[in-house]
Amino acid sequence: MRRRKPISFDTTLRNPGRIPQFISILKKFEGKEIDDEIALALEGEIIRQKIFEPTKGTLGTYIAKYDKKFSFEADDKSANASEKVSTIFERWKEEDPGSVSLNDIVYLLKNTITAHKDKGWKGGWESRLHTQFNFLNELGFVRVVKGKKIIISENGNLMIHEYENGYPKNEMYDESFEQSAFLNAFAKYQINNPYRSNTISVNFFPLVLNVIKYLDTTYNRPGISKQDLPFIITWGNNDYRTLGEYIYKFRKKFGYNTSDELVYEYAMNLLDNSTPNNILAPASKEFIKLKKRDYKFDKIMTETPDEVIRKLRLTMLISLRGAGRFIDINRNENTKINHVLSTYMNNIDFGEDVDSYSKYMGKIDNSLMFESNQVETQEEKDAKEVAIEDWANKYDWSFFEEEMMNSVEKRPSSHLVLKYIKETARLEFLSAIVIKKALPDLKVVANYKADDQGIPFSTASGGRNNQIGADIDVFENEVHAILEPTISKQRSFQVEHELPSIRNHVLESAKKDVADSNHYKEWFSLFIASNISRDVGDQSELIRQTNGVEIYPWDIVDFVNYSQNVRSIRDYKKIREYAMPQKMPGM
């Protein structure tokens, strides 16, 4: 049943990097009708490739019978079923993605449960599959509906251009395809779509952009506070002028040092259909008492605003300002912003027509495509340098150590800016800052994509279209060094993918410098990672002997601590004990 609700975003796939992973697994099942068998096989393949990793308490614990949220009976009722479930789970947990057979994983799904039930889907793992894909249905990337054939849209295929079997096809990974896909999706996204039971007619992203532009042009107020987002979340139509006036009047009356409780009261009044939205007033105590369990405080004030910023940053049209307290238009992308507002502000009533909505959402608008390896303007380069220097001066060493390890361990950051940067780009950003903090006179050129404030959207693109693809270039007198951070802790990835790529970056940088008659005479790289194995040290030494390329592996914590006492970039040219090449006894 449709009813008026605040705007919310699904948080099942909070990490955007997982979206192309899930869709690329779905590709194997495209065109198949989803019945119980296909649903379990699809969920099984997602788990088999470790795109989703359930716990032992769910996937590794045999359940003979369950009858609470739904009814379930294990497929295998033999005496050794529990032991078999545990054995297969432990083998899956220990081995590489894709190693365990799909039959074994499906066996686990038929004999374990996750206590989850969605309408129209069987309780347990089938319903878990629905939660994983339902928001992707809304964004028009796919159509995953029980009883219908699986469809991946044109835009969904754009999203997985660089992916296969859940992972990037190679280390030269170009994120511009998925960034274009995200922008295409959010530009068109409507809250009143067939997958949601919400009565409000809102084109969410155009509404946000219009409110920001209105406040800027009318009152010279660039950007909106994160604390203003609850007003947008509780708004019920595309009338951005009235909404902009509401936000302006609230801030004029109360300023920006207001409590979340006060904002909640005024946002709640926008949900009360018995009161006018063009008059600034708090919700009545009766309305708040009646609706506070339905329209939860934490959801409106914290959880949904966080998801809004996280999702809209994926479009690369939103900048972070004021130490993360404000969002604004990314002025590097004014052309795309104007196109979104001129093309996608009109709300379309699709009713319950899933197919028409999917076709509309799935088409690619070429005006919203990002170019691969687009040449940066000088202003964009300068913004990154300013941000790196500002952060280097602002934060202490312990902050960088903690946040770099958060990135590697894929732990969420509580920092108001870093929390909205995905781990890979976050580690590149922090590595550039650390080297600048250590050696303030260095020229640091970070190659990640960033907004007009120099805050990263995504990692460096890799070596494509005559671009070398180094993560971070560092220049000191006659030295051209390269920093190459990775969040991967896997030995095989570090040795087989990262080190050959770094070798090529150093070789190509040196060749280019020589060809361009630059004054640099010394080239080397710092490989910054966690869990560095002896094999990394062995391979680095082999590259040095074979290619003449110097790669110095640095453990993240060691890198940060050592950086506090360096005087030159050459001070990092050391083989640390943990990266010493292995030798036969007596050598």
Side-chain angles (χ1 to χ4, degrees):
M1 180 179 176
R2 289 183 178 270
R3 63 184 179 87
R4 171 71 190 275
K5 292 182 288 188
I7 293 166
S8 65
F9 287 121
D10 190 284
T11 60
T12 305
L13 298 183
R14 187 182 295 272
N15 181 347
R18 299 179 73 199
I19 291 176
Q21 290 188 296
F22 273 82
I23 299 175
S24 67
I25 294 294
L26 185 69
K27 188 72 176 175
K28 297 180 178 181
F29 297 83
E30 190 173 16
K32 295 183 178 180
E33 184 177 308
I34 301 184
D35 55 17
D36 294 343
E37 182 182 350
I38 293 298
L40 283 187
L42 173 53
E43 184 65 12
E45 187 62 21
I46 290 167
I47 293 170
R48 189 172 89 91
Q49 297 294 347
K50 297 193 174 183
I51 308 305
F52 167 49
E53 299 186 55
T55 63
K56 185 174 179 60
T58 53
L59 188 64
T61 303
Y62 176 77
I63 301 292
K65 192 171 183 178
Y66 174 86
D67 197 13
K68 293 180 181 178
K69 294 182 180 180
F70 54 89
S71 296
F72 168 85
E73 281 192 21
D75 184 65
D76 185 354
K77 297 180 177 62
S78 64
N80 67 339
S82 179
E83 182 182 350
K84 186 175 178 181
V85 164
S86 181
T87 300
I88 294 174
F89 175 83
E90 292 301 331
R91 181 157 49 87
W92 166 81
K93 193 72 177 172
E94 292 299 319
E95 294 186 9
D96 291 336
S99 298
V100 175
S101 73
L102 180 58
N103 285 339
D104 279 347
I105 300 299
V106 171
Y107 173 85
L108 294 182
L109 300 183
K110 288 182 176 180
N111 293 284
T112 63
I113 66 162
T114 175
H116 193 76
K117 176 69 174 80
D118 283 354
K119 183 179 178 181
W121 296 74
K122 273 191 173 181
W125 295 109
E126 255 194 41
S127 287
R128 177 61 62 192
L129 177 73
H130 175 245
T131 63
Q132 290 164 343
F133 280 100
N134 197 45
F135 189 54
L136 306 190
N137 285 340
E138 286 193 66
L139 294 177
F141 294 132
V142 302
R143 189 190 71 182
V144 177
V145 177
K146 189 77 179 287
K148 291 195 173 188
K149 288 184 178 181
I150 292 169
I151 293 175
I152 299 176
S153 70
E154 185 183 1
N155 198 35
N157 279 299
L158 178 67
M159 172 64 76
I160 60 173
H161 185 277
E162 299 287 280
Y163 280 78
E164 193 170 51
N165 295 328
Y167 295 94
K169 295 174 185 177
N170 55 60
E171 66 270 19
M172 298 300 186
Y173 171 48
D174 186 352
E175 290 187 79
S176 67
F177 295 100
E178 64 185 79
Q179 288 156 348
S180 299
F182 278 127
L183 177 53
N184 268 273
F186 281 109
K188 302 175 188 178
Y189 177 71
Q190 296 185 177
I191 300 301
N192 55 320
N193 67 70
Y195 294 99
R196 278 193 181 265
S197 55
N198 203 336
T199 60
I200 63 173
S201 300
V202 171
N203 298 50
F204 185 72
F205 191 28
L207 177 63
V208 172
L209 293 174
N210 262 326
V211 168
I212 293 173
K213 290 197 80 168
Y214 178 81
L215 289 170
D216 190 11
T217 56
T218 309
Y219 297 110
N220 194 28
R221 291 200 173 195
I224 56 173
S225 166
K226 178 185 172 183
Q227 206 187 43
D228 291 330
L229 287 174
F231 299 126
I232 300 179
I233 291 163
T234 54
W235 196 249
N237 54 52
N238 283 334
D239 182 2
Y240 64 88
R241 293 181 181 87
T242 305
L243 175 55
E245 286 294 331
Y246 194 90
I247 292 172
Y248 173 74
K249 290 173 184 175
F250 181 88
R251 291 305 171 192
K252 188 175 181 181
K253 182 174 182 179
F254 298 110
Y256 285 98
N257 294 319
T258 54
S259 69
D260 283 353
E261 286 75 14
L262 184 67
V263 174
Y264 179 72
E265 290 177 8
Y266 279 78
M268 283 288 279
N269 196 44
L270 299 177
L271 289 165
D272 188 347
N273 291 328
S274 68
T275 62
N277 282 354
N278 59 348
I279 297 175
L280 186 70
S284 66
K285 292 181 180 178
E286 293 77 15
F287 183 80
I288 292 176
K289 184 177 180 181
L290 180 67
K291 295 291 186 179
K292 66 181 181 180
R293 294 186 69 179
D294 197 17
Y295 307 149
K296 293 182 175 62
F297 178 87
D298 287 344
K299 185 82 171 175
I300 288 176
M301 294 307 306
T302 304
E303 293 174 19
T304 302
D306 271 349
E307 279 306 305
V308 165
I309 297 173
R310 192 172 282 112
K311 296 288 194 291
L312 296 190
R313 284 281 290 177
L314 299 175
T315 69
M316 300 218 301
L317 302 193
I318 292 293
S319 290
L320 297 173
R321 303 194 195 282
R325 293 181 299 110
F326 288 79
I327 65 169
D328 196 3
I329 284 170
N330 176 17
R331 301 183 195 283
N332 295 336
E333 300 293 349
N334 275 325
T335 300
K336 286 185 174 63
I337 289 167
N338 292 333
H339 179 76
V340 170
L341 295 179
S342 64
T343 311
Y344 297 111
M345 195 60 195
N346 293 327
N347 193 268
I348 303 171
D349 183 7
F350 290 97
E352 304 296 327
D353 191 345
V354 166
D355 292 340
S356 293
Y357 178 75
S358 297
K359 288 176 183 176
Y360 168 74
M361 290 293 293
K363 290 181 180 177
I364 293 173
D365 182 340
N366 289 323
S367 296
L368 300 179
M369 295 289 288
F370 291 101
E371 291 181 29
S372 178
N373 291 318
Q374 183 175 350
V375 177
E376 285 185 313
T377 65
Q378 190 57 49
E379 289 78 7
E380 290 168 339
K381 294 177 182 178
D382 291 345
K384 289 195 287 189
E385 286 197 50
V386 169
I388 289 168
E389 187 166 0
D390 285 349
W391 281 60
N393 292 331
K394 186 174 182 180
Y395 295 101
D396 61 23
W397 294 105
S398 60
F399 170 84
F400 293 117
E401 179 181 324
E402 179 183 358
E403 290 295 350
M404 289 175 81
M405 288 308 299
N406 282 343
S407 301
V408 170
E409 299 296 338
K410 298 182 180 179
R411 294 190 294 254
S413 173
S414 60
H415 188 274
L416 289 175
V417 171
L418 296 178
K419 68 192 294 184
Y420 301 120
I421 305 173
K422 67 179 184 178
E423 294 91 348
T424 48
R426 194 192 309 166
L427 185 61
E428 287 186 17
F429 183 48
L430 294 167
S431 298
I433 297 166
V434 166
I435 205 78
K436 184 69 173 179
K437 186 175 183 68
L439 300 165
D441 293 333
L442 281 184
K443 174 76 170 177
V444 179
V445 179
N447 297 310
Y448 45 71
K449 295 179 183 177
D451 62 24
D452 58 7
Q453 300 297 292
I455 304 302
F457 284 122
S458 61
T459 58
S461 295
R464 291 171 179 260
N465 301 336
N466 298 318
Q467 299 291 318
I468 290 171
D471 290 345
I472 302 159
D473 291 289
V474 176
F475 304 95
E476 181 186 68
N477 301 322
E478 295 182 338
V479 176
H480 178 178
I482 293 171
L483 268 63
E484 297 279 358
T486 182
I487 66 167
S488 176
K489 297 194 290 183
Q490 292 183 0
R491 181 207 64 80
S492 60
F493 190 85
Q494 290 182 3
V495 173
E496 297 169 20
H497 294 278
E498 291 287 358
L499 289 178
S501 178
I502 294 170
R503 173 198 61 201
N504 294 340
H505 291 165
V506 176
L507 285 169
E508 293 305 313
S509 294
K511 289 176 184 177
K512 188 175 187 304
D513 285 337
V514 171
D516 293 346
S517 300
N518 292 330
H519 67 278
Y520 306 111
K521 297 179 180 178
E522 187 177 343
W523 300 267
F524 59 89
S525 177
L526 309 184
F527 177 44
I528 303 166
S530 182
N531 200 38
I532 291 173
S533 72
R534 289 289 181 184
D535 291 343
V536 170
D538 291 346
Q539 186 66 19
S540 298
E541 176 62 18
L542 183 61
I543 288 172
R544 186 189 67 79
Q545 293 180 16
T546 305
N547 306 109
V549 172
E550 299 175 60
I551 301 174
Y552 298 94
W554 283 88
D555 171 80
I556 286 173
V557 174
D558 188 23
F559 173 68
V560 175
N561 291 334
Y562 187 83
S563 294
Q564 298 175 43
N565 297 297
V566 296
R567 295 185 178 182
S568 165
I569 190 66
R570 288 192 178 97
D571 291 346
Y572 292 98
K573 295 178 65 173
K574 294 187 181 300
I575 305 296
R576 309 301 278 174
E577 193 279 330
Y578 48 79
M580 285 286 184
Q582 301 172 88
K583 295 182 179 180
M584 290 290 287
M587 288 186 66

